[in-house]
């Protein structure tokens, strides 16, 4: 959330360049933030955005190995449409599609669709019905009826089935008790927001224990991080300062208010998180030399994270540096094969 200098731009041409570079250097998956409107402020952060289903279809056709995800706000799309679109992209990609499930937390976006925002746990009840219908559409051949509290389907069927058997990879970033239970039951990877490493360790164990104990299944746990990697620590810190000096603090405040992070009782903590949102959507900051970046990623692995979505100020340029300087060290550390 900054006007700091970068070659990044929200155009299709540049998006494709970024995706193809990620593919070339062996990144595993492209996961988009899905937005319908921005957060105001001086940059109107996330205000210019692509639909993530068609985004994924376009990138799937122009990449070779990387998995491509859509991030779907479940209240905005009927499960029949989502199941069909997902299967289509899975065919375009020859089995490289993933679906990131979001319950629709940003009230102004839900209001754009003429719908009242549901209470928090009710969103996950809706999401449970939604994904149960989608899974049946992906796996069952005979038409079926579904008459839930929120979702209603008569004679539901969808062909062709996805390439991946029994279904595409599913992701979710719910960290509340209801979100954890949803992930434990339905998805393959839960994304954790990290405040402290000790909390991250406890969270990873709790989520896995919930999946194994309650639903007899394994669940991957991942996080997201913002990376500034340079030859020296001072260079990396200079980039951080440049980002923050040009930061959109009003936009960050707007975003945090939506998330309920606005108590004056925690003003210093609020400032810290405001900076983390400016740097990279509130992600875990990894700043320093290639060796320091690897040490931080090792630490995340040690506390139970299976991986991390990485954000950069300048994706296309910085991924080349990351590949040349960090990837070899990650392989040496046993963090990549």
């Amino acid at each position: 959330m900054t006007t700091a200098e970068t070659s990044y731009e929200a155009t299709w041409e540049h998006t494709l360049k970024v995706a193809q570079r990620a593919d070339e250097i062996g990144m595993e998956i492209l996961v988009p933030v899905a937005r319908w409107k921005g957060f105001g402020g001086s940059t109107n952060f996330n205000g210019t955005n692509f639909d993530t289903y068609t985004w994924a279809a376009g990138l799937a056709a122009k990449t070779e190995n990387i998995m491509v995800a859509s991030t779907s706000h479940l209240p905005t799309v009927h499960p029949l449409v989502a199941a069909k679109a997902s299967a289509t992209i899975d065919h375009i990609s020859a089995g490289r599609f993933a679906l990131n499930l979001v319950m629709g937390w940003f009230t102004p976006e839900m209001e754009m669709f003429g719908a009242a925002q549901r209470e928090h746990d009710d969103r996950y009840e809706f999401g449970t019905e939604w994904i149960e219908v989608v899974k049946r559409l992906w796996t069952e051949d005979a038409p079926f009826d579904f008459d839930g509290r929120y979702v209603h389907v008569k004679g539901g069927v969808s062909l062709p089935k996805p390439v991946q058997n029994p279904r595409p990879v599913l992701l979710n970033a719910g960290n509340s008790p209801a979100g954890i239970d949803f992930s434990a039951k339905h998805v393959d990877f839960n994304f954790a927001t990290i405040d402290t490493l000790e909390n991250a360790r406890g969270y990873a164990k709790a989520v896995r224990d919930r999946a194994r104990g309650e639903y007899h299944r394994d669940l991957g746990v991942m996080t997201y991080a913002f990376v500034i990697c340079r030859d020296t620590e001072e260079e990396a810190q200079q980039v951080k300062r440049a980002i923050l000096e040009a930061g959109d603090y009003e936009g960050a405040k707007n975003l945090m208010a939506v998330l309920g992070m606005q108590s004056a009782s925690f003003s210093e903590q609020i400032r810290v998180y405001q900076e983390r949102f400016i740097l990279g959507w509130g992600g875990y900051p990894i700043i320093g030399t290639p060796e320091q970046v690897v040490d931080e990623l090792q630490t995340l692995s040690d506390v139970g994270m299976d991986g991390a979505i990485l954000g950069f100020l300048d994706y296309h340029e910085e991924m080349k540096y990351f590949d040349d300087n960090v990837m070899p060290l990650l392989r040496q550390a046993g963090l990549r094969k």
Side-chain angles (χ1 to χ4, degrees):
M1 305 181 72
T2 183
T3 55
E5 185 176 355
T6 175
S7 73
Y8 178 79
E9 54 185 23
T11 65
W12 181 251
E13 292 76 15
H14 191 76
T15 297
L16 181 58
K17 284 175 57 178
V18 169
Q20 289 177 331
R21 173 151 287 179
D23 194 22
E24 289 164 5
I25 71 174
M27 293 286 190
E28 284 85 3
I29 186 169
L30 296 160
V31 182
V33 172
R35 288 266 67 78
W36 296 97
K37 68 187 305 182
F39 292 99
S42 61
T43 63
N44 191 29
F45 183 61
N46 284 172
T48 299
N49 46 70
F50 291 117
D51 160 69
T52 65
Y53 282 98
T54 48
W55 176 92
L59 295 182
K62 293 289 187 177
T63 52
E64 299 293 332
N65 299 300
I66 197 166
M67 184 165 276
V68 184
S70 290
T71 296
S72 186
H73 293 244
L74 305 193
T76 70
V77 56
H78 193 280
L80 279 163
V81 177
K84 179 72 76 175
S86 298
T88 300
I89 303 167
D90 208 38
H91 279 264
I92 292 169
S93 65
R96 293 183 287 120
F97 178 70
L99 187 60
N100 182 25
L101 307 174
V102 179
M103 302 304 127
W105 58 271
F106 188 23
T107 299
E109 287 183 331
M110 296 303 99
E111 291 173 347
M112 287 174 64
F113 286 84
Q117 179 65 284
R118 295 185 176 96
E119 293 298 320
H120 180 274
D121 288 4
D122 290 344
R123 297 174 215 166
Y124 284 97
E125 290 184 19
F126 168 82
T128 294
E129 292 185 7
W130 192 98
I131 194 58
E132 286 176 353
V133 169
V134 169
K135 286 179 177 179
R136 292 183 66 179
L137 290 166
W138 282 339
T139 57
E140 296 183 17
D141 293 323
F144 65 88
D145 295 343
F146 186 94
D147 190 23
R149 178 183 176 188
Y150 301 104
V151 179
H152 307 277
V153 175
K154 184 175 177 61
V157 65
S158 182
L159 294 169
K161 302 304 182 188
V163 173
Q164 296 175 76
N165 186 20
R167 56 168 176 75
V169 171
L170 296 176
L171 318 172
N172 175 250
N175 298 159
S176 66
I180 290 171
D181 188 71
F182 178 88
S183 286
K185 185 176 182 179
H186 289 293
V187 308
D188 302 294
F189 291 96
N190 174 272
F191 283 95
T193 300
I194 291 179
D195 51 4
T196 69
L197 292 171
E198 195 54 41
N199 287 344
R201 187 189 303 275
Y203 178 88
K205 182 179 185 305
V207 173
R208 288 191 177 94
D209 287 350
R210 180 72 177 176
R212 290 169 183 160
E214 189 71 22
Y215 300 109
H216 311 292
R217 57 192 303 271
D218 291 324
L219 177 67
V221 184
M222 302 180 74
T223 189
Y224 62 106
F226 182 77
V227 177
I228 304 175
C229 187
R230 299 294 187 271
D231 290 340
T232 68
E233 185 176 359
E234 176 54 29
E235 287 178 279
Q237 291 295 334
Q238 285 178 355
V239 175
K240 175 185 174 181
R241 288 193 293 270
I243 293 171
L244 292 175
E245 287 170 2
D248 181 0
Y249 287 86
E250 181 184 354
K253 183 179 178 181
N254 294 340
L255 193 163
M256 292 166 68
V258 174
L259 294 172
M261 302 171 64
Q262 52 188 336
S263 173
S265 301
F266 302 96
S267 57
E268 182 56 35
Q269 185 180 13
I270 291 297
R271 177 70 178 187
V272 169
Y273 273 90
Q274 197 172 30
E275 291 186 353
R276 281 180 62 163
F277 277 105
I278 287 169
L279 288 169
W281 246 108
Y284 187 80
I286 299 179
I287 301 169
T289 64
E291 292 78 10
Q292 289 172 315
V293 168
V294 172
D295 287 346
E296 288 283 5
L297 290 171
Q298 179 68 66
T299 298
L300 292 178
S301 177
D302 291 343
V303 300
M305 298 297 123
D306 293 311
I309 293 178
L310 303 181
F312 301 90
L313 172 65
D314 195 329
Y315 286 85
H316 187 259
E317 301 307 312
E318 293 186 61
M319 276 195 293
K320 180 65 168 64
Y321 181 90
F322 192 93
D323 186 41
D324 291 341
N325 296 280
V326 180
M327 288 291 207
L329 299 179
L330 288 172
R331 286 189 284 270
Q332 289 177 23
L335 293 170
R336 289 187 65 81
K337 296 180 180 180

